[in-house]
Amino acid sequence: MRVRAYQGLLAAITTASAVTLPGTQATAVTSPAPEVTVASVASVGSPPVDVLSVKRHLEAFQRIAAANGGTRAAGTRGYDESADYVAGRLRAAGYRVTEQEFEFPFFRVIGTPKLARVSPGARSYAPQTDFVPMAYSGSGNVTAAVQPVDLVLPPSAAPGSTSGCEAADFAGFVRGNIALVQRGTCGFRVKAELAEAAGASGVIIFNEGQAGEGAADRRGPLNGSLGDTTTRVPVVGTTFAVGQELATPGSRATLSVTAEGDPHRKTRNVIAESPWGDSRRVVMLGSHLDSVPAGPGVNDNGSGSAAVLETALRAGGTPTRNRLRFAFWGAEELGLLGSQHYVAALSPGERARIRLYLNFDMIASPNFVYGIYDGDDSDHTGAGAGPAGSGEIEKLFETYYASVGQPYKGTDFTGRSDYGPFIAVDIPAGGLFTGAEGIKTAEEAATFGGEAGVAYDRCYHQACDTLANIDDRALAVNSGAIATAAAVYARSQILPGGTASAAPSRMNVAPAWRDAVSR
């Protein structure tokens, strides 16, 4: 899927995914269902959700963070109050709400980490902008020589560095030095553990260096996780430029991280289900509710959570053909832990009843693009196609953007958000993403506006991810897309990748739904 503007798009979902839209009467399964066209999606209303109501949820998340040390991270009081807020609103709207508790390894950085080159030429690097402590980094304050480990400089044209992936890479490593390794091939944990075993007093993992679009760009600050147990030494990720600079022969650096960990902290997912619709045909929408410890997470991911919550509130009480289920995940920022726990706990029968999952993570980035997860791999970039039906979900969102006259582009299923566990068990998935730490290209700026050469979200995973970090236009357009998708799939006779419902009722509930999502 390439970047396309509204003009010239003749989008329609195929007969296999044709649905009964709000505003029409449900028909028997043997009757042909209308295809979803630009005109029919536009008839749902644009945007179907009042963006001012979505903003009020964001304001609530901001207030909660401000009252709890500036964070809503899983395992903190800020997250618990966010979950209470969401669960309370959903119960009041008539949903059956489950708060699914699970244990997880809590982690956060305390105070301000430090990375500075001592020589040659003293220079301090900025947290978040130049470097980020890896999740589950150990604590420590060291000043030592920086020793490069099997680096590829200049970087190869395509990703493929094996720096720090084998014990042999550390042959001759001087105990007490800071290991400098490059992203690529193996996991961050592998690199950190091998460096520890070789006697490193700290580990710096820098981005690999390839220029690219969005998540394919490997030059910016490397923000990663070491898994779920804390290392013995401090570990940070940096930009390619910082790593290249520290690779200069004779470099010495100071590295300092103070971290707190608790392997048995508890948090919870909030799951809300409508009493209406066929329980064998569940349409599920989700977003992660937690922020990172460093900030309030108003864009990441208050934006997705607020829009999903408002969609649920507006849809509550409206009979539908299919069952609607809304999820607000905990501990996503520590490795998709909430959604992984949820999917792992499903029985085979429960899993089979979830016909599709829609994920919304960062839908209002200030330097946004309108990104749709590339369900059919028509971009031929990165990961392959999603499970059967994912391409049909992609087409629905394409059609929505066309109906409101907005450009859009594909974004890869990188596995970085909560669709990952659903794809892994073959549930069709899709969703929207406006960009994180990746750098906006000149082509994207010409298509979507904004500033080329700048991150989609300059406050990604930082304290400045506040209400001031939200683009209201992107929030309004994408809130409309979320509510439209919920409306379409709630009334769908044939769901993506599936078969027609066996015995649909002949309820004409469209006026009630339309009132619910349009006012």
Side-chain angles (χ1 to χ4, degrees):
M1 184 182 63
R2 297 175 295 279
V3 177
R4 305 181 185 93
Y6 172 55
Q7 292 78 11
L9 175 68
L10 298 176
I13 291 183
T14 62
T15 302
S17 62
V19 300
T20 303
L21 285 166
T24 66
Q25 180 169 316
T27 58
V29 69
T30 54
S31 301
E35 65 180 359
V36 178
T37 64
V38 170
S40 61
V41 169
S43 72
V44 176
S46 174
V49 164
D50 177 10
V51 72
L52 295 179
S53 297
V54 178
K55 285 294 290 284
R56 282 192 283 272
H57 300 313
L58 292 180
E59 290 164 359
F61 294 148
Q62 178 75 74
R63 287 194 300 271
I64 289 169
N68 291 280
T71 187
R72 297 185 306 104
T76 69
R77 183 61 191 164
Y79 180 81
D80 290 341
E81 291 186 10
S82 298
D84 289 343
Y85 173 82
V86 168
R89 296 299 303 269
L90 291 165
R91 286 193 179 99
Y95 286 91
R96 295 191 290 252
V97 176
T98 301
E99 298 186 63
Q100 183 187 43
E101 189 176 74
F102 61 96
E103 193 174 89
F104 77 106
F106 174 79
F107 173 85
R108 69 173 170 177
V109 174
I110 300 171
T112 303
K114 181 178 181 180
L115 177 63
R117 186 176 64 178
V118 176
S119 62
R123 180 180 175 185
S124 293
Y125 300 109
Q128 303 300 322
T129 302
D130 296 321
F131 77 99
V132 183
M134 291 269 178
Y136 303 107
S137 165
S139 296
N141 184 354
V142 300
T143 298
V146 177
Q147 184 167 345
V149 177
D150 192 27
L151 306 183
V152 180
L153 294 175
S156 56
S161 168
T162 61
S163 168
C165 289
E166 299 176 353
D169 293 344
F170 293 89
F173 190 86
V174 178
R175 295 186 69 85
N177 281 357
I178 296 171
L180 178 67
V181 298
Q182 193 171 13
R183 177 186 185 182
T185 307
C186 64
F188 302 140
R189 181 87 195 181
V190 171
K191 297 173 188 285
E193 287 183 338
L194 289 173
E196 277 188 343
S201 60
V203 185
I204 299 168
I205 305 175
F206 69 100
N207 218 339
E208 193 171 358
Q210 289 83 14
E213 186 176 313
D217 189 276
R218 292 193 168 210
R219 295 171 296 175
L222 189 56
N223 194 334
S225 174
L226 299 174
D228 58 6
T229 55
T230 304
T231 58
R232 296 189 301 273
V233 300
V235 183
V236 299
T238 78
T239 64
F240 172 75
V242 168
Q244 188 174 40
E245 191 167 78
L246 291 174
T248 302
S251 287
R252 288 180 61 83
T254 294
L255 172 59
S256 177
V257 175
T258 302
E260 174 190 5
D262 177 357
H264 304 296
R265 191 72 59 96
K266 290 184 178 179
T267 191
R268 54 193 156 133
N269 298 320
V270 178
I271 312 294
E273 185 155 315
S274 168
W276 311 104
D278 187 343
S279 63
R280 299 165 300 176
R281 293 162 53 84
V282 174
V283 173
M284 192 165 185
L285 291 79
S287 59
H288 76 86
L289 186 58
D290 61 316
S291 73
V292 293
V298 176
N299 183 39
D300 183 18
N301 182 39
S303 61
S305 292
V308 170
L309 174 59
E310 188 59 23
T311 294
L313 297 180
R314 299 282 175 162
T318 301
T320 56
R321 178 190 297 271
N322 304 312
R323 184 69 55 92
L324 283 171
R325 185 179 298 168
F326 299 91
F328 301 84
W329 307 116
E332 185 270 358
E333 295 290 5
L334 291 172
L336 317 183
L337 301 184
S339 55
Q340 286 180 351
H341 176 81
Y342 175 83
V343 171
L346 294 171
S347 69
E350 290 168 334
R351 188 184 302 166
R353 287 191 281 273
I354 301 174
R355 299 306 180 88
L356 62 99
Y357 173 72
L358 306 179
N359 192 70
F360 305 102
D361 187 353
M362 301 180 68
I363 65 163
S365 301
N367 197 29
F368 68 89
V369 296
Y370 291 127
I372 307 171
Y373 289 120
D374 184 15
D376 59 4
D377 194 30
S378 50
D379 282 349
H380 306 295
T381 299
S390 301
E392 297 164 37
I393 296 170
E394 179 186 6
K395 290 183 177 67
L396 175 63
F397 285 118
E398 290 178 349
T399 307
Y400 168 80
Y401 283 121
S403 76
V404 296
Q406 297 299 319
Y408 58 88
K409 62 167 295 179
T411 187
D412 189 39
F413 275 135
T414 60
R416 288 181 58 177
S417 196
D418 292 298
Y419 54 78
F422 290 87
I423 288 176
V425 295
D426 211 31
I427 294 172
L432 307 175
F433 177 57
T434 54
E437 78 276 31
I439 304 300
K440 192 171 215 175
T441 67
E443 181 183 4
E444 288 172 334
T447 301
F448 298 97
E451 188 175 353
V454 173
Y456 304 113
D457 183 352
R458 283 180 282 194
C459 288
Y460 177 65
H461 284 188
Q462 298 181 55
C464 58
D465 187 8
T466 64
L467 281 167
N469 194 46
I470 291 291
D471 186 280
D472 286 345
R473 177 187 173 202
L475 184 68
V477 169
N478 284 333
S479 294
I482 293 168
T484 298
V488 167
Y489 289 134
R491 298 293 299 143
S492 176
Q493 179 177 318
I494 306 175
L495 291 170
T499 57
S501 55
S505 63
R506 293 185 59 86
M507 297 180 298
N508 185 1
V509 298
W513 174 274
R514 190 173 178 84
D515 288 345
V517 299
S518 297
R519 59 173 176 260

